[in-house]
Amino acid sequence: MSEFSLIEKYFTRPAPTAVLGVGDDAALIAISPGINMAVSTDMLVAGTHFYPDADPFLLGRKTLAVNISDMAAMGAVPRWATLALSLPEENEAWLAKFSKGFFSMAESSGVELVGGDTTRGPLTLSVTIMGVVPLGQALRRDGARIGDEIWVSGKLGDAALALAHLQGKNRLEDADYQRVSSALHDPKPRVALGLALRSIAHSAIDVSDGLLADLGHILEQSRVGAEIHFDQLPVSECVQQFSAQAFGKRCVMAGGDDYELCFTAPVEMRARIQQISDELNLPLTIIGRIIRGNRGKVLAQDGTEIQLEKSGYDHFG
Ligand code: ADP
Ligand code: MG
């Protein structure tokens, strides 16, 4: 059973008093007239999401960053978080660095830590984040329309390339590893972009499990298809070296941990989006188009379809 069929079967129930329940980057709850609260939980487990000996300062930053990324994907302003920790031992040196990293991300993003829970057990870091977004302005997964252009921020595949290096699957030169490692260890949630895209984008998601898997959620929930042009996908020079190989293609399209935003917008918004890209000094790239249908096709330069065995990370599939 895949992660998503498991959630669907056992944990998706009507939530009649919520504006939006299970299935998006965050739930939406009406907290006062005109304002919705966006709420989301993301957990990092040692051995699954990070190496137990990962730099605790960066791990603290990333624990919060991946949650803030879900706020960005909703076009919400991140405001409050709770932190649940399961720790194998009391290690003050580790906790000092982890908390310093966590608060460095919190302060630069305007997030206040307001609670949590601490227990002994296998190293697990879980955050619930809350943010706010004006009524009707959230960026959802179900709003893509036929004809929309599909955009992605930043570059794809650096984090997956860094991970493959650490796993010994694909060794990189030291200089190349240095270039891609910050994407894996210190992702930058795209909050300013999410806010700028309110009333511009029709749909959005953050790329946490891999571009195709995450875009797939937009397609499914919007009941549309997509055509992606592989040669238009934004990649760094390091990733480019591998993009002729199946391995490189997997890093770019199914690698995960990118924490970039993938969004769709009508063609008329193209100039406005390019302006946002300039203002934020963040590359925004058109990678394809929303079409009729129910699946995403990735096309090579010669128009043939590129097939991947897996579209992204699935914890159970
Ligand atoms: P994201 O990658 O944006 O964090 P996920 O892919 O992890 O989102 O989850 C997909 C959707 O399923 C989200 O709306 C999330 O809130 C919901 N979800 C995941 N696990 C559970 C659970 N155990 N109970 C209820 N909802 C869940
Ligand atoms: Mg998400």
Side-chain angles (χ1 to χ4, degrees), residues 3-4 7 11 21-25 41-42 70 141 206 208-209:
E3 178 185 342
F4 300 102
I7 296 168
F11 299 109
V22 169
D24 215 304
D25 293 297
T41 299
D42 252 317
D70 280 318
R141 296 177 178 180
D206 67 325
S208 55
D209 292 334

Side-chain angles (χ1 to χ4, degrees), residues 11-301:
F11 299 109
T12 306
R13 296 286 183 278
T17 69
V19 175
L20 181 63
V22 169
D24 215 304
D25 293 297
L28 294 172
I29 294 161
I31 49 165
S32 68
I35 301 286
N36 283 339
M37 179 157 82
V39 190
S40 171
T41 299
D42 252 317
M43 178 160 64
L44 301 185
V45 178
T48 302
H49 299 94
F50 62 93
Y51 288 107
D53 63 354
D55 177 319
F57 178 83
L58 293 178
L59 188 58
R61 287 179 61 80
K62 184 167 177 176
T63 299
L64 185 56
V66 302
N67 281 276
I68 292 175
S69 179
D70 280 318
M71 296 291 99
M74 297 304 289
V77 180
R79 294 290 298 278
W80 307 279
T82 60
L83 171 63
L85 293 177
S86 164
L87 302 170
E89 57 180 349
E90 187 191 303
N91 178 341
E92 287 208 46
W94 188 93
L95 285 169
K97 290 180 191 145
F98 175 85
S99 60
K100 203 168 168 204
F102 186 94
F103 283 114
S104 74
M105 179 56 63
E107 276 152 29
S108 64
S109 314
V111 171
E112 295 166 23
L113 182 65
V114 293
D117 194 24
T118 306
T119 69
R120 192 182 289 273
L123 183 57
T124 305
L125 315 163
S126 179
V127 167
T128 294
I129 189 144
M130 288 150 272
V132 289
V133 55
L135 181 69
Q137 289 193 27
L139 306 172
R140 302 167 49 142
R141 296 177 178 180
D142 61 6
R145 289 179 222 161
I146 290 156
D148 276 2
E149 287 174 322
I150 305 170
W151 296 74
V152 73
S153 64
K155 304 245 157 79
L156 298 169
D158 280 1
L161 197 61
L163 181 63
H165 172 82
L166 294 178
Q167 291 173 328
K169 289 181 183 165
N170 181 73
R171 289 269 166 217
L172 298 173
E173 304 280 329
D174 276 359
D176 279 349
Y177 177 69
Q178 293 312 323
R179 283 189 200 107
V180 293
S181 71
S182 75
L184 178 64
H185 296 298
D186 197 12
K188 308 283 181 296
R190 303 302 189 190
V191 176
L193 175 60
L195 300 183
L197 290 174
R198 287 175 181 173
S199 73
I200 289 178
H202 281 159
S203 68
I205 191 166
D206 67 325
V207 182
S208 55
D209 292 334
L211 174 71
L212 298 187
D214 288 316
L215 175 62
H217 296 308
I218 289 185
L219 302 184
E220 195 181 332
Q221 294 190 27
S222 303
R223 298 164 194 275
V224 292
E227 221 169 56
I228 301 294
H229 298 281
F230 180 73
D231 53 299
Q232 291 175 18
L233 296 176
V235 296
S236 66
E237 280 171 25
C238 292
V239 170
Q240 182 74 46
Q241 308 170 60
F242 302 99
S243 61
Q245 304 169 21
F247 160 74
K249 291 191 168 67
R250 274 201 306 278
C251 285
V252 177
M253 297 190 285
D257 253 0
D258 295 298
Y259 300 103
E260 294 297 344
L261 295 189
C262 174
F263 57 96
T264 77
V267 180
E268 310 85 83
M269 291 296 175
R270 196 189 279 183
R272 181 72 195 97
I273 294 169
Q274 273 152 357
Q275 198 185 343
I276 292 170
S277 166
D278 293 341
E279 283 162 13
L280 299 179
N281 195 18
L282 173 66
L284 299 176
T285 310
I286 298 172
I287 61 168
R289 199 180 265 268
I290 296 292
I291 57 174
R292 252 171 240 292
N294 57 13
R295 58 183 285 266
K297 279 193 288 196
V298 183
L299 302 176
Q301 213 155 15

